[in-house]
């Protein structure tokens, strides 16, 4: 449905595109959501922070993928509720690795 590439340290939407158009306020809220999700790192020593977060509802699926080499940059995707997650994650992680 829609993808946004955000910098959670700066609180900035770097780019967005998709079949649906969202107002800037919604994109900013999506960026804040990503920042909130990824600011919660596990408290046990030796565990890496999460790199993938998903939020599912009856209206759709929100997927957040954080770059391994630049954890401030997150790909946010809004997907249809019937989307199959594993194949999507494979494709999205590969695409995220290509972003420079």
């Amino acid at each position: 449905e829609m993808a946004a590439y955000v910098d959670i340290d700066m609180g900035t939407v770097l780019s967005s595109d998709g079949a649906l158009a969202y107002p800037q306020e919604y994109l900013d809220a999506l960026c804040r959501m990503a920042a909130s999700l990824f600011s919660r790192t596990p408290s046990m020593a030796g565990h890496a922070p999460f790199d993938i977060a998903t939020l599912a509802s009856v209206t759709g699926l929100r997927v957040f993928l954080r770059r391994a080499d630049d954890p401030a940059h997150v790909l946010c995707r809004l997907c249809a509720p019937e989307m199959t997650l594993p194949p999507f994650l494979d494709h999205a992680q590969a695409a995220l690795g290509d972003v420079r």
Side-chain angles (χ1 to χ4, degrees):
E1 307 287 336
M2 194 274 293
Y5 190 58
V6 303
D7 183 322
I8 59 175
D9 285 350
M10 300 298 293
T12 303
V13 177
L14 302 172
S15 65
S16 66
D17 191 23
L20 301 175
Y22 289 91
Q24 187 62 45
E25 294 82 8
Y26 184 88
L27 297 175
D28 292 342
L30 194 64
C31 184
R32 287 190 303 274
M33 183 182 295
S36 177
L37 287 168
F38 289 116
S39 70
R40 294 167 184 14
T41 56
S43 59
M44 297 182 347
H47 289 267
F50 297 107
D51 290 323
I52 299 171
T54 59
L55 299 170
S57 73
V58 295
T59 59
L61 180 66
R62 291 181 180 96
V63 181
F64 302 86
L65 299 166
R66 182 163 56 172
R67 287 185 62 123
D69 63 338
D70 188 355
H73 288 174
V74 176
L75 175 64
C76 309
R77 291 290 311 259
L78 303 181
C79 306
E82 65 275 0
M83 195 266 309
T84 306
L85 193 57
F88 166 78
L89 286 177
D90 291 340
H91 181 266
Q93 287 175 312
L96 190 58
D98 291 339
V99 175
R100 295 285 172 225

